[in-house]
Amino acid sequence: QVQLVESGGGSVQAGGSLTLSCKASPYMNYVVTWFRQTPGKEREGIASIYTGGGNRGGYTTYADSVEGRFTISRDNAKNTVYLQMTNVKSEDTAMYYCAADPTGLGPNLHLGNYKYWGQGTQVNVSS
């Protein structure tokens, strides 16, 4: 059983920055992905990272909607994956979730691949 706990959500002005954290227990070689969801819409994968080592270690992938503005990273010593959000826009307002795939071989944004989810953290961007 994998437990994921998100933190760091809150309110931020458009153009500002915010960093979300996702602490995993146990922490192993996972694919960890940040998703977001707004009411009435499907949960959208936005950033993914492979936390393991080797030649795939640290590989990332991003949705077009956040590429160049958001950065996903890992700190294996702290069992934590981060999502650094910069130049945020009003359309980034959503509930943000992290999810883990213990069997994944590389970063991916496909909702159906993820069995383990955190409880979510809300981000509100004001213009």
Side-chain angles (χ1 to χ4, degrees), residues 102-121:
T103 63
L105 300 178
N108 71 87
L109 305 177
H110 301 297
L111 180 66
N113 289 347
Y114 295 90
K115 179 180 179 180
Y116 300 103
W117 294 85
Q119 82 287 353
T121 186

Side-chain angles (χ1 to χ4, degrees), residues 19-57:
T19 299
L20 307 182
S21 301
C22 173
K23 187 161 188 174
S25 176
Y27 193 81
M28 300 172 65
N29 296 340
Y30 299 139
V31 175
V32 176
T33 298
W34 285 97
F35 289 80
R36 65 185 182 186
Q37 189 172 25
T38 54
K41 292 191 176 181
E42 187 175 85
R43 201 166 289 191
E44 170 195 23
I46 57 171
S48 182
I49 190 168
Y50 180 66
T51 66
N55 58 4
R56 291 177 287 118

